[in-house]
Amino acid sequence: MSLSRFMRSELVKVAPVVSKLVGPCASRCVSTSRPSPGAVAQQSGKPDWNRAVSEAEKIVGYPTSFLSLRWVLSDEIANVALHLRKLVGSNHPLLKTAKNLIYNGKNNMQAWGLIVLLVSKAAGHSPEIPDMEQDKAAGVLHSQRALAEVTEMIRTSHLVHKGLVNMNTRSLQVSAAEPDDMMFGNKIALLSGDYLLANSCSELANLRNQELVELMSSAVRDLAEAEFMGVRDEQNNPLPSRPLPEGERETAEEWDNILDPLPMKGILGAARREWSARHVLAAGALLGKSCSAALKLAGHPPPLQTTGYLFGCHLALAWQAFLDLEAFSGPEPARFSLVGAPLAFTLQARPELYEHIDKGTRNHNNVDYHALYMAVKEGDGIEKTKQLQREHIAAASDVLEKFPNCDARTALSNIIVAMNGDHLC
Amino acid sequence: MACLSPSRICARVQDKLLCHFGHKVQVRRQTVFVKLKPPGPSPLRIFGKTCQRVTTCGPACGSAGGAPSPPRRAASSLQSTSTGSLPDYGTQIVDPYRLLEDDLTGIYEDIRSELERNTNQSELNTIATYYFDGQGKALRPMVAILMARAINYHVYGENSAILPSQRQVAMISEMIHSASLIHDDVIDQSDFRRGKPSVNVLWNHKKVAMAGDFILAVASMMIARLRSDDVTLVLSQVVTDLVQGEFMQLGSKETENERFAHYLTKTYRKTASLIANSVKAVALLSGADEATSELCFQYGRNLGLSFQLVDDLLDFVSSAQAMGKPTAADLKLGLATAPVLFACEKYPELNPMIMRRFQEAGDVEKAFELVHKSRGLEQTRFLARKHGMEAARLAAELADSPYQKGLVVTTDLVLNRIK
């Protein structure tokens, strides 16, 4: 439950209550004769992300992308599509966001809803839940499916709102170029994000579980907080904080109650803590709280819900570390995340490199990416990030052990294997 | 017997009123009431006397309209016998804002501290609390609390007090409203709101958008903590309506009939839904039955429609200074509100302007002029009054209490406001 625990990657030990519950997959695993998806994923030699995900989707029913028929048919989305067309040809980032949402790459984690469903299925549910509320074929509850949809809606809404253009800048390059397009794009982006948020509100309300509403609302709050953490350029792109020497750091507080906001004491300037806190707020909290909520819906006791939270959080952090590593695995990219773990560790080791970051306070493009890239390649930042990722993977896998062996659990481990950074570089 | 019982009722009514005013006087300056009093010497004297008498009965009768103590009952019935029937000063005197002064004080502070508790990022806190400076009209929380007190009185009688959860709903309604204002500011690029620079002028637009999401998230957490499924459903409907209303504003309809229906639905979703559903929520929390909750909802809906119609009217007649924001703002945003839609009947040349959203040079000025030449403003006021009267009629169905009178007075306040 605390940041420092993430860092030491210790887990709260929870008795394996799960096996007592009638998990729908527990029975199915025995009878099923088809080869386990894990075997398929490993046959090709190199673990394949796309295969791991599409196998996983087969296990819990249909793909969980938010572009389901209901969305396409809604008036508001049709409206947005119409207006988006007017933006084609402009430079508004909303177009890029839309493209990323439609092309389901792993980079924007469209598989979050899928993870929530897999966790739901792997954990099973309490026998008291009436048949009416179950999706027997998929082995999850209808309410869990709605929750998975809410998770994706919240995530998407956040991405869309993040893709606004700040037109309130002193350096007017962006807004002067095409002010009308930018204004219009902002309008559409803001409204579409609000639309998704409003829909997640009513979907959550329909679940008639107020603890769950509170938990998921706190995840929305965390996402908003994430956009304020640390130094930012004029377009609100995050920059790392100036590294503090070890002696000057304050001790970090525990995040004991996840309904309260994440304590910020002693976080900024401490590479690893800052990286963890940033990505817990921006990603881990939502995935963790969604997994926890899925277990709550299934009637699991609070300790297991906590474990679910930790699983989601570790998985999101492992995923983030993987994305950070990816930038350094192929040919040199033009840009990479300035708040990624490899650079954070490198800056910690060589604080004099921070002068490069200082140049980006107005616009991150003014940063000498090449110099920083070379510095990361020379140092041990990549190795440390791999170590960090291994810890989070191990922590997430430990939680999986608590679930009964079944197809959903195998699918989750395949996803974890597919994002192991050791295969990268 | 037959003639005795009405007088008893009369005495009781007065008793309630006296208790209420006695409370007020104990807490506040007496001069307040001198200003609010209707002309005429006789009620004035009654008032002075009762105030003195009730004040002597001590604090017990004051708090939360507490149970009338026997000595005071004697005092008030004495009063009623000596002066005859109670003058009808209720609707003129009850100023809802003064009536609820105790409930409303600190409401903005409470909202600010709730927001502050939910973030450790100081800039987020600054932006999120910016509009909760106490300068707004606080109409939504006021109506919610007024309804809470009126409905509690209706359901439980005069010993009722306001529930903490109902006060929370009042706070939530203002928070949802502000979250939508913050997003509107980014969308419309407005410069001023409530007489000060709007958020989008002061901060990064991306951060402002996030601050809006943040306020909504904190409000949803507060809603969830009320632990009532029905209240959560009712209030989540508000958020959906707000966004749908915003989407409706993006497009315009071809024919006039369609256009007016479109406008009314949009007005309901953007303004009235919040008021209607928050008063419904306080009614649900008081344990009112379905019919009564529906009555409250309809009161809020009509009040909200009336409020927005007046708002659209004021956009044409009020000065920028009084409004704290620029006038003819709707036209400049390309929006055709009721006055324009009415004016259309007499000046069909407005139609093409509506369709092109007043984009061409001179459109705004021309439309502004035509609206003033037509009967559009008058008709808008008439429609607003119709909704106001309907709200007042619904409020009159609730049990008689100062708060119920306050609900009636509010419909007048909304109609006669100048800003």
Side-chain angles (χ1 to χ4, degrees):
Chain A
M1 288 298 271
S2 74
L3 265 180
S4 52
R5 272 197 210 126
F6 281 128
M7 288 153 207
R8 295 195 305 271
S9 72
E10 280 169 15
L11 270 171
V12 185
K13 298 288 174 215
V14 179
V17 245
V18 198
S19 49
K20 287 182 201 146
L21 295 158
V22 190
C25 59
S27 52
R28 195 199 270 191
C29 295
V30 188
S31 61
T32 187
S33 59
R34 68 180 158 153
S36 86
V40 181
Q42 270 141 24
Q43 267 160 19
S44 62
K46 201 170 155 239
D48 181 345
W49 171 268
N50 290 333
R51 190 171 302 174
V53 168
S54 65
E55 287 293 338
E57 282 174 342
K58 283 178 201 154
I59 292 172
V60 281
Y62 55 82
T64 50
S65 165
F66 89 110
L67 285 166
S68 62
L69 198 56
R70 190 151 58 85
W71 291 100
V72 177
L73 289 177
S74 96
D75 259 7
E76 282 77 11
I77 292 294
N79 224 329
V80 168
L82 202 70
H83 289 298
L84 267 183
R85 216 175 300 161
K86 291 186 204 157
L87 279 179
V88 173
S90 81
N91 249 331
H92 200 282
L94 176 60
L95 289 172
K96 214 173 138 198
T97 314
K99 194 191 89 185
N100 285 338
L101 291 175
I102 292 164
Y103 298 104
N104 243 336
K106 67 182 147 185
N107 287 331
N108 56 50
M109 269 179 107
Q110 268 299 291
W112 279 25
L114 179 64
I115 303 271
V116 174
L117 288 180
L118 289 172
V119 168
S120 305
K121 188 173 182 187
H125 48 261
S126 139
E128 285 147 36
I129 290 175
D131 279 4
M132 275 286 285
E133 286 165 27
Q134 296 178 26
D135 180 347
K136 289 261 182 192
V140 296
L141 305 177
H142 293 306
S143 58
Q144 288 172 324
R145 201 177 279 286
L147 175 74
E149 212 171 288
V150 166
T151 307
E152 289 206 1
M153 281 196 281
I154 292 177
R155 171 78 177 158
T156 311
S157 145
H158 181 71
L159 281 176
V160 171
H161 278 175
K162 240 171 86 169
L164 254 69
V165 175
N166 177 27
M167 295 175 62
N168 190 11
T169 58
R170 270 160 289 143
S171 52
L172 288 165
Q173 308 126 333
V174 202
S175 37
E178 29 181 6
D180 286 350
D181 279 344
M182 289 302 144
M183 240 183 91
F184 188 73
N186 272 359
K187 184 173 183 167
I188 299 300
L190 200 54
L191 285 182
S192 326
D194 283 352
Y195 176 73
L196 292 171
L197 215 50
N199 266 282
S200 39
C201 275
S202 43
E203 289 254 329
L204 280 175
N206 278 319
L207 294 179
R208 294 179 172 270
N209 183 332
Q210 301 310 315
E211 282 179 26
L212 190 110
V213 175
E214 192 178 2
L215 186 64
M216 294 305 289
S217 305
S218 78
V220 178
R221 175 206 62 198
D222 295 338
L223 288 175
E225 268 211 297
E227 292 307 298
F228 287 81
M229 198 183 139
V231 196
R232 305 259 156 182
D233 77 355
E234 285 189 345
Q235 284 304 323
N236 210 33
N237 296 302
L239 301 172
S241 309
R242 187 179 297 280
L244 283 176
E246 200 127 355
E248 289 172 31
R249 289 183 214 151
E250 291 180 282
T251 36
E253 287 169 33
E254 305 273 305
W255 194 18
D256 289 324
N257 182 356
I258 53 172
L259 290 176
D260 290 338
L262 177 70
M264 288 304 292
K265 202 176 139 220
I267 299 261
L268 297 180
R272 187 171 170 156
R273 278 185 219 154
E274 184 175 319
W275 182 85
S276 308
R278 188 185 298 278
H279 296 296
V280 164
L281 282 181
L286 177 60
L287 189 56
K289 286 172 182 181
S290 303
C291 291
S292 168
L295 299 180
K296 191 192 284 291
L297 283 171
H300 290 297
L304 193 70
Q305 293 172 24
T306 304
T307 327
Y309 170 76
L310 288 172
F311 174 75
C313 228
H314 283 300
L315 187 66
L317 291 182
W319 205 317
Q320 187 57 49
F322 174 77
L323 294 177
D324 289 353
L325 282 170
E326 226 179 11
F328 295 94
S329 66
E332 186 184 336
R335 305 273 175 273
F336 53 90
S337 168
L338 292 177
V339 290
L343 182 57
F345 288 124
T346 309
L347 285 173
Q348 184 96 307
R350 296 174 56 192
E352 76 277 6
L353 288 171
Y354 197 78
E355 69 179 71
H356 289 296
I357 303 293
D358 277 330
K359 289 185 191 134
T361 43
R362 181 156 282 188
N363 185 333
H364 73 102
N365 285 325
N366 299 337
V367 170
D368 186 348
Y369 276 89
H370 178 67
L372 289 174
Y373 181 84
M374 295 316 284
V376 170
K377 277 286 197 185
E378 284 160 18
D380 62 352
I382 294 178
E383 198 36 59
K384 278 188 173 159
T385 307
K386 284 185 180 172
Q387 178 55 32
L388 177 73
Q389 203 218 12
R390 278 194 289 272
E391 287 170 29
H392 286 300
I393 285 187
S397 307
D398 278 355
V399 180
L400 276 189
E401 295 294 307
K402 298 188 199 310
F403 298 142
N405 188 14
C406 66
D407 54 357
R409 195 183 91 169
T410 316
L412 280 171
S413 14
N414 284 340
I415 288 178
I416 292 177
V417 170
M419 67 177 182
N420 192 331
D422 287 335
H423 302 294
L424 279 174
C425 40
Chain B
M1 269 319 257
C3 68
L4 196 81
S5 50
S7 76
R8 225 183 241 162
I9 290 166
C10 177
R12 283 208 58 174
V13 169
Q14 196 189 25
D15 193 48
K16 288 170 197 170
L17 281 172
L18 291 178
C19 177
H20 161 64
F21 287 128
H23 169 48
K24 291 267 107 165
V25 172
Q26 281 171 321
V27 183
R28 267 172 293 284
R29 311 160 304 272
Q30 205 165 330
T31 48
V32 167
F33 291 94
V34 178
K35 276 188 206 147
L36 291 164
K37 244 167 282 149
S42 119
L44 193 136
R45 211 176 298 127
I46 298 172
F47 210 54
K49 269 190 202 163
T50 51
C51 285
Q52 284 161 5
R53 285 189 189 222
V54 177
T55 318
T56 57
C57 83
C61 59
S63 52
S69 48
R72 193 168 47 80
R73 187 185 287 276
S76 52
S77 35
L78 189 78
Q79 202 62 52
S80 73
T81 47
S82 64
T83 54
S85 68
L86 188 73
D88 180 30
Y89 59 154
T91 50
Q92 289 157 56
I93 281 190
V94 180
D95 172 356
Y97 283 99
R98 294 207 185 277
L99 184 59
L100 301 177
E101 212 170 317
D102 286 351
D103 293 328
L104 285 170
T105 42
I107 202 146
Y108 283 109
E109 284 85 345
D110 291 349
I111 294 175
R112 283 205 303 272
S113 61
E114 187 69 47
L115 290 170
E116 197 175 343
R117 232 197 325 279
N118 271 294
T119 179
N120 291 317
Q121 307 293 334
S122 61
E123 196 182 7
L124 174 56
N125 186 35
T126 312
I127 304 179
T129 55
Y130 183 68
Y131 282 139
F132 298 107
D133 56 355
Q135 298 303 306
K137 292 182 284 274
L139 175 82
R140 291 153 189 87
M142 187 276 278
V143 173
I145 291 180
L146 198 56
M147 181 58 88
R149 287 214 174 259
I151 199 80
N152 292 352
Y153 205 109
H154 181 81
V155 177
Y156 300 106
E158 56 191 308
N159 293 333
S160 58
I162 185 171
L163 298 168
S165 58
Q166 290 173 319
R167 192 165 186 277
Q168 289 277 311
V169 171
M171 288 164 63
I172 290 162
S173 69
E174 187 67 6
M175 290 170 77
I176 295 179
H177 174 58
S178 285
S180 82
L181 287 187
I182 285 178
H183 280 187
D184 279 358
D185 281 351
V186 177
I187 290 176
D188 301 337
Q189 299 275 307
S190 51
D191 298 328
F192 279 93
R193 185 179 292 281
R194 294 178 178 172
K196 61 182 188 178
S198 49
V199 277
N200 55 302
V201 177
L202 297 175
W203 290 286
N204 186 323
H205 292 172
K206 290 170 143 180
K207 287 187 172 174
V208 170
M210 289 298 162
D213 293 355
F214 169 77
I215 296 176
L216 183 66
V218 175
S220 320
M221 289 177 76
M222 290 165 71
I223 296 171
R225 269 184 252 124
L226 301 179
R227 296 285 189 261
S228 159
D229 292 351
D230 291 335
V231 168
T232 305
L233 280 164
V234 164
L235 293 176
S236 74
Q237 182 63 45
V238 173
V239 186
T240 317
D241 282 342
L242 278 174
V243 180
Q244 285 188 334
E246 208 56 66
F247 268 102
M248 289 181 78
Q249 200 159 290
L250 283 179
S252 34
K253 290 282 174 218
E254 292 285 340
T255 68
E256 280 171 48
N257 277 345
E258 261 187 335
R259 218 180 273 149
F260 209 86
H262 190 260
Y263 165 79
L264 283 179
T265 315
K266 185 203 85 183
T267 304
Y268 166 70
R269 290 185 174 164
K270 282 199 68 179
T271 312
S273 169
L274 175 55
I275 300 175
N277 283 303
S278 43
V279 296
K280 185 176 175 184
V282 297
L284 290 173
L285 285 168
S286 83
D289 59 33
E290 205 170 311
T292 316
S293 309
E294 178 60 20
L295 183 139
C296 296
F297 174 86
Q298 289 301 340
Y299 169 83
R301 191 183 75 94
N302 281 293
L303 185 74
L305 289 175
S306 162
F307 176 85
Q308 188 57 48
L309 285 163
V310 172
D311 214 53
D312 293 344
L313 181 83
L314 288 174
D315 197 40
F316 282 91
V317 297
S318 186
S319 73
Q321 213 171 7
M323 293 291 282
K325 58 183 179 188
T327 49
D330 291 335
L331 286 180
K332 288 173 196 155
L333 289 171
L335 303 178
T337 53
V340 184
L341 296 177
F342 280 125
C344 233
E345 288 167 20
K346 191 169 172 197
Y347 300 104
E349 60 261 46
L350 278 166
N351 277 317
M353 289 191 222
I354 294 174
M355 288 316 291
R356 60 176 181 255
R357 302 177 74 87
F358 312 104
Q359 291 293 305
E360 277 176 29
D363 275 1
V364 171
E365 293 73 17
K366 185 75 185 156
F368 192 82
E369 191 196 322
L370 289 177
V371 165
H372 277 274
K373 270 164 78 182
S374 73
R375 291 181 59 236
L377 295 172
E378 214 177 304
Q379 286 166 302
T380 306
R381 180 168 290 283
F382 178 78
L383 187 60
R385 188 171 295 130
K386 255 188 70 182
H387 282 293
M389 279 162 60
E390 174 63 8
R393 187 190 66 77
L394 290 161
E397 289 183 22
L398 293 176
D400 192 15
S401 72
Y403 309 108
Q404 177 257 352
K405 286 204 169 59
L407 287 172
V408 177
V409 173
T410 304
T411 63
D412 278 344
L413 284 185
V414 160
L415 274 175
N416 297 323
R417 72 207 170 98
I418 51 154
K419 64 167 202 169

